[in-house]
Amino acid sequence: MKTIKKVFFSAAIASLAFVSCKEEKIKEEKSAGIVLENMDTSVKPTDDFFRHVNGTWLDKTEIPDDQTSWGGFNQLRKKTDADVLDILNTAIEQKDFPKIKDAEGNEIDSDQEKAVNYYQTIMDTVARNKQGKAPVMPYLAKVNEIKTKKDVETYLTNMAPYGGGGFYGFGVYNDLKNSSQYAGYMGGGSLGLSRDYYVDAAVKDKLDKYQEFMAKMLQEFGDDEATAKKNAATIVDFETSLAKPMMTKEESRDIRKLYNPMSIADLQNLAPAIDWQAHLNGIGVKDLDTIIVTDLGYFKAMSDIFSKRSVEDIKLLLRWNTINSSLGSLSTDLETANWEFYSKEMRGAKKQRPRDESALSNLNGAIGEALGKLYVEKQLPWMSEVTKEKALEKLHKLTVKIAYPDVWKDYSKLQVTGLEDGGSYFENAINVTKWNYAENMEKLGKEVDRTEWGMSPQTVNAYFNPVNNEIVFPAAILQP
């Protein structure tokens, strides 16, 4: 559920350069915060400051074919990815992981080993191609079993731990009026594209391409050509009807509009087509007095649409949601088809990233802190306690998180099966989704955990979280 957006730093703060020197070399080695040879001094800063600072770099730099943008952050991410991949490959070769035992004394995989297992199942394309579409077929069978609208509601409830099926989703986040406490939020489901592509005639060509891509994928999953085209048209029309009442991007940036606390009875009156109490009970939410609805207009319209659409149309949409969300973790031909539309057609990439870099990106997004434990063991010898203390002293009015968490995520309940035990990328990805859901639900009604990080240490970025009044600098950005 995309309810709250953290404010991320961009290249615009490049002047706040971090120099990661060893303490004993600081006096003898200095780095400029601005690279002079990147400037175009023929342009007056009062005429075009951006061009004045970056003009020569812009003229001499090309975007790599496997990227859709390029800049200082991208360059540092490329370097960091190479460092992390070297660490991963060494870990795979040496298999030297901490020994962990569960409460009963049984030896279990450490977080570092889970990171390696996850990475290897992504990289094992032979096994993925042998499995083909088989891993997702049981989930498509669940859609096919739906007979009534009540079955649809039951399906959406049962699928909540797996990422949801669409239409709506429940999540837990800081209460925006009481940031020390977690609250329950109900947000709208995601679509195959962002809202603008459904409502802006200027990008209709992209919506048409999306429909073509959808029809092609439906054929891959059993529809004949004519049926696939008909079903794709129905699904795009359905998604468009859901997109129109959604908040615009501008509206969703106004946090006040996202904060609409109400009782379950009030939600029932707002969107009567869904039995909300049954849904909340089904996902394990008990005795909830207040729920925060993020988009009132969408929920009102969604309820009406849900009532009027046929069960068969809804099953089509649910089937497509299942297929579309799974393409990247199945066989390489489906993964490539997914890339060709979402990265090449929609974002302008010319070629796919190297497989190991792409796998690393997926690993970072899934269990980034498990990998982060490997990373910080190898990448932080330069960061003395003096450096950390000075940074904290400078920013003492904020909660400042530097390099890596003081308290790591607890992955002990997460099952990530390795190749030798028959693990697959698809099933490991499902397990991560279920684990994330359970961890999020566990927070409801509790005090906010201010030790939690929203980025892993190997992430080249930083963020300010206004709800917690904290500023966070992962280890990977603390490099020149």
Side-chain angles (χ1 to χ4, degrees):
M1 182 182 69
K2 298 177 181 176
T3 306
I4 307 297
K5 299 179 176 67
K6 291 192 175 86
V7 180
F8 293 99
F9 286 85
S10 69
I13 62 160
S15 59
L16 300 177
F18 288 88
V19 182
S20 58
C21 303
K22 292 187 183 237
E23 291 295 326
E24 65 271 16
K25 292 186 177 181
I26 288 179
K27 292 183 179 179
E28 58 190 70
E29 293 182 9
K30 294 183 178 180
S31 298
I34 295 177
V35 183
L36 300 179
E37 53 265 36
N38 286 341
M39 300 176 68
D40 182 356
T41 55
S42 68
V43 177
K44 293 181 179 180
T46 51
D47 292 339
D48 187 342
F49 185 72
F50 183 80
R51 179 77 200 179
H52 174 79
V53 174
N54 302 298
T56 300
W57 183 89
L58 286 167
D59 291 341
K60 69 181 182 182
T61 303
E62 292 187 3
I63 299 175
D65 286 348
D66 63 351
Q67 302 288 328
T68 56
S69 63
W70 196 247
F73 272 34
N74 304 84
Q75 290 173 309
L76 187 54
R77 285 173 184 142
K78 186 80 172 179
K79 173 190 176 299
T80 302
D81 282 354
D83 292 340
V84 178
L85 286 169
D86 182 62
I87 292 168
L88 260 176
N89 288 325
T90 299
I92 291 169
E93 180 181 344
Q94 296 179 351
K95 294 186 177 180
D96 182 20
F97 304 108
K99 303 301 181 184
I100 306 295
K101 292 185 177 181
D102 62 18
E104 285 74 39
N106 302 310
E107 191 168 294
I108 58 175
D109 290 347
S110 66
D111 292 350
Q112 294 91 325
E113 192 165 0
K114 289 176 182 179
V116 167
N117 287 346
Y118 197 89
Y119 175 76
Q120 288 187 297
T121 57
I122 301 175
M123 292 294 291
D124 187 1
T125 56
V126 173
R128 288 172 59 184
N129 289 338
K130 185 178 180 180
Q131 292 165 347
K133 295 183 278 287
V136 77
M137 298 311 291
Y139 298 90
L140 291 173
K142 293 178 185 297
V143 176
N144 193 50
E145 292 168 359
I146 293 172
K147 304 298 181 187
T148 67
K149 292 281 181 72
K150 183 53 68 175
D151 290 344
V152 173
E153 292 186 61
T154 301
Y155 170 85
L156 294 174
T157 298
N158 292 340
M159 289 304 296
Y162 299 85
F167 293 101
Y168 48 84
F170 181 85
V172 182
Y173 194 74
N174 305 58
D175 189 321
L176 295 178
K177 293 294 180 68
N178 179 11
S179 62
S180 66
Q181 195 77 14
Y182 287 117
Y185 289 78
M186 187 65 73
S190 60
L191 304 173
L193 300 174
S194 61
R195 178 185 182 274
D196 286 356
Y197 289 104
Y198 298 95
V199 301
D200 188 347
V203 288
K204 185 181 182 301
D205 60 318
K206 296 297 185 184
L207 187 61
D208 291 340
K209 291 288 186 180
Y210 173 58
Q211 187 168 317
E212 292 172 12
F213 163 68
M214 188 187 298
K216 179 181 175 182
M217 291 300 98
L218 291 175
Q219 283 185 261
E220 288 284 343
F221 281 82
D223 289 1
D224 60 52
E225 183 177 0
T227 302
K229 288 182 176 179
K230 178 183 177 183
N231 287 344
T234 299
I235 295 167
V236 169
D237 177 72
F238 198 159
E239 289 189 330
T240 301
S241 70
L242 291 170
K244 286 180 177 178
M246 287 181 174
M247 283 183 176
T248 65
K249 286 185 293 187
E250 293 78 11
E251 288 172 331
S252 66
R253 293 183 187 122
D254 186 343
I255 298 298
R256 295 166 299 182
K257 292 182 179 180
L258 298 174
Y259 191 84
N260 303 287
M262 60 179 63
S263 66
I264 308 304
D266 288 338
L267 175 58
Q268 193 65 54
N269 289 332
L270 176 70
I274 309 298
D275 186 340
W276 295 107
Q277 191 62 65
H279 177 70
L280 292 170
N281 290 342
I283 62 175
V285 177
K286 309 291 185 182
D287 302 321
L288 186 66
D289 295 327
T290 301
I291 190 167
I292 301 169
V293 179
T294 61
D295 189 340
L296 297 177
Y298 169 78
F299 273 88
K300 189 175 188 308
M302 182 275 294
S303 177
D304 187 53
I305 293 167
F306 189 90
S307 297
K308 293 178 179 178
R309 282 281 180 173
S310 68
V311 172
E312 290 307 311
D313 281 359
I314 293 174
K315 288 175 65 174
L316 278 178
L317 180 57
L318 297 178
R319 177 175 175 242
W320 170 241
N321 288 345
T322 304
I323 292 171
N324 197 26
S325 63
S326 304
L327 293 174
S329 57
L330 297 172
S331 57
T332 54
D333 58 332
L334 294 174
E335 180 185 38
T336 298
N338 187 64
W339 174 86
E340 285 178 344
F341 176 70
Y342 281 106
S343 294
K344 186 176 182 180
E345 176 64 41
M346 297 300 293
R347 301 182 63 231
K350 296 179 181 178
K351 71 175 185 180
Q352 289 180 274
R353 296 174 66 188
R355 179 161 294 280
D356 55 357
E357 289 185 19
S358 179
L360 176 61
S361 177
N362 288 324
L363 171 58
N364 281 330
I367 48 173
E369 284 193 21
L371 177 59
K373 287 184 177 181
L374 281 172
Y375 178 73
V376 299
E377 288 171 5
K378 303 295 184 182
Q379 292 296 310
L380 288 181
W382 55 268
M383 190 176 178
S384 73
E385 287 304 312
V386 174
T387 303
K388 200 169 185 178
E389 288 171 12
K390 291 296 183 183
L392 291 170
E393 179 183 334
K394 188 173 183 179
L395 298 168
H396 69 278
K397 290 186 178 179
L398 295 170
T399 298
V400 183
K401 296 176 178 177
I402 300 290
Y404 59 95
D406 293 321
V407 179
W408 293 96
K409 285 185 184 295
D410 180 4
Y411 291 111
S412 60
K413 295 181 181 179
L414 170 63
Q415 180 67 41
V416 180
T417 307
L419 292 175
E420 64 277 8
D421 296 317
S424 73
Y425 178 23
F426 181 87
E427 288 301 329
N428 282 336
I430 288 290
N431 288 343
V432 169
T433 300
K434 290 168 63 181
W435 178 85
N436 278 321
Y437 178 83
E439 185 192 38
N440 183 248
M441 294 291 285
E442 182 67 23
K443 298 174 181 177
L444 186 61
K446 296 181 179 178
E447 288 189 7
V448 168
D449 178 7
R450 297 192 183 276
T451 68
E452 190 174 33
W453 279 50
M455 285 181 176
S456 59
Q458 65 274 18
T459 301
V460 178
N461 213 326
Y463 66 91
F464 169 63
N465 181 356
V467 181
N468 285 350
N469 193 32
E470 64 184 11
I471 192 167
V472 185
F473 295 96
I477 203 174
L478 303 177
Q479 305 177 78

